[in-house]
Amino acid sequence: MTFIFCVLFYMVNWYSNVMLWGCSSEIPGNPSETVCLSRLQVLSGCGVYDGTEIHEASAILVHLSRGGAQVRMFAPDVAQMHVIDHGKGQPAEGESRNVLSESARIARGSISDLGHLDVSNHDAVIFPGGFGAAKNLSTFAVDGKDCEVNKDVERVLMDFHKAGKPIGLCCISPVLAARVLGKVEVTVGHEEEEGGKWPYAGTVQAIRALGAKHCVKDVTETHVDQKNKVVTAPAFMCDTQLHLIFDGIGAMVRDVLRLSGK
């Protein structure tokens, strides 16, 4: 009886994942790319201070699901820059974690190594924010405008751009597009801190130094660079109510879906 229960549980779980990820030709998480066209989300760990901002990643998934999109999740198989104790807001000494393994927490295990991603099998990509984008996907948190970008992240951005496929980025992640693509238009919100409402407004100067154009937007708005098919939204660059951030991310997702013709 126990054996039968385990088999049934596995089958139900697998079927649920197939329906969620829209990949009926394989078990989710398999790095082979024999899947239907999909939107994908690139994660940078799990947790705002050393990985992906979880609320942003979840909001993106909700809005993609509502838009009828099929989703795949990817992350680079690299070590995190460091581990932050989120309760204390301080580095956890002596700890190390893997970006792909940590990202699997958000993806409920259904995730693939970014190094295996083939742009031809996907029609849009979205990067949520969180300090992981500036620490694990790039060195922006340390080097600012002189940062380096993870080679697979750079390849994915370049491949989607060359293919004319939409790229969505929110929160701090627009710096990745600014660094890799150069002359693009992006937003991280407002350009002044305004008494702490926009605590990361200084990011604008780095974006300009990288050759990109910054466009002022409120938290519920997006900026769409029609020429480059880059869609950006402020998200948690603004210190505001969660539902407003959720709405702004929804606007970003809708614009990405619109640009991908779905």
Side-chain angles (χ1 to χ4, degrees):
M1 180 64 72
T2 300
F3 174 77
I4 294 174
F5 175 80
C6 289
V7 171
L8 288 173
F9 177 81
Y10 174 81
M11 292 179 68
V12 170
N13 187 57
W14 176 81
Y15 180 76
S16 297
N17 282 330
V18 166
M19 296 305 292
L20 174 60
W21 303 117
C23 303
S24 59
S25 60
E26 63 181 16
I27 296 175
N30 190 311
S32 68
E33 291 298 325
T34 58
V35 297
C36 51
L37 289 179
S38 63
R39 284 77 175 181
L40 62 95
Q41 185 171 198
V42 177
L43 304 180
S44 62
C46 183
V48 58
Y49 297 124
D50 58 10
T52 302
E53 213 302 317
I54 299 171
H55 295 295
E56 291 179 7
S58 296
I60 290 168
L61 288 174
V62 169
H63 288 296
L64 283 171
S65 177
R66 181 169 289 147
Q70 298 165 337
V71 185
R72 290 292 304 275
M73 309 278 270
F74 288 83
D77 187 5
V78 298
Q80 291 186 185
M81 172 183 160
H82 58 188
V83 177
I84 297 292
D85 182 328
H86 281 60
K88 298 178 180 178
Q90 299 174 350
E93 299 298 332
E95 285 196 40
S96 62
R97 298 186 185 183
N98 176 274
V99 173
L100 180 59
S101 296
E102 289 298 292
S103 298
R105 295 174 178 271
I106 297 174
R108 297 172 62 85
S110 299
I111 195 163
S112 299
D113 181 352
L114 189 62
H116 296 139
L117 188 151
D118 182 347
V119 66
S120 65
N121 292 319
H122 308 280
D123 57 1
V125 61
I126 298 179
F127 290 79
F131 279 93
K135 293 179 176 180
N136 304 328
L137 304 188
S138 71
T139 63
F140 183 79
V142 176
D143 301 322
K145 65 181 180 61
D146 299 316
C147 67
E148 295 182 0
V149 176
N150 172 277
K151 62 181 178 61
D152 284 319
V153 173
E154 181 176 15
R155 174 182 62 82
V156 168
L157 286 168
M158 290 295 295
D159 285 353
F160 270 85
H161 185 250
K162 289 177 180 177
K165 296 182 178 183
I167 301 169
L169 312 104
C170 64
C171 196
I172 192 66
S173 66
V175 301
L176 300 173
R179 182 68 179 89
V180 174
L181 303 179
K183 295 185 180 300
V184 293
E185 299 176 358
V186 299
T187 189
V188 290
H190 287 202
E191 299 179 354
E192 302 293 335
E193 291 190 14
E194 300 178 17
K197 182 177 180 180
W198 297 90
Y200 309 107
T203 305
V204 172
Q205 300 306 317
I207 286 172
R208 287 175 175 156
L210 289 167
K213 177 182 178 181
H214 183 261
C215 303
V216 174
K217 295 290 179 179
D218 286 327
V219 69
T220 57
E221 297 179 313
T222 66
H223 180 74
V224 181
D225 182 339
Q226 295 284 354
K227 177 182 178 181
N228 293 293
K229 290 192 175 182
V230 173
V231 183
T232 49
F236 276 99
M237 297 297 274
C238 183
D239 184 7
T240 189
Q241 295 170 293
L242 181 59
H243 72 276
L244 297 177
I245 293 168
F246 184 89
D247 291 346
I249 290 173
M252 176 190 69
V253 170
R254 287 192 296 274
D255 284 334
V256 167
L257 293 178
R258 175 177 57 80
L259 288 176
S260 64
K262 305 295 181 182

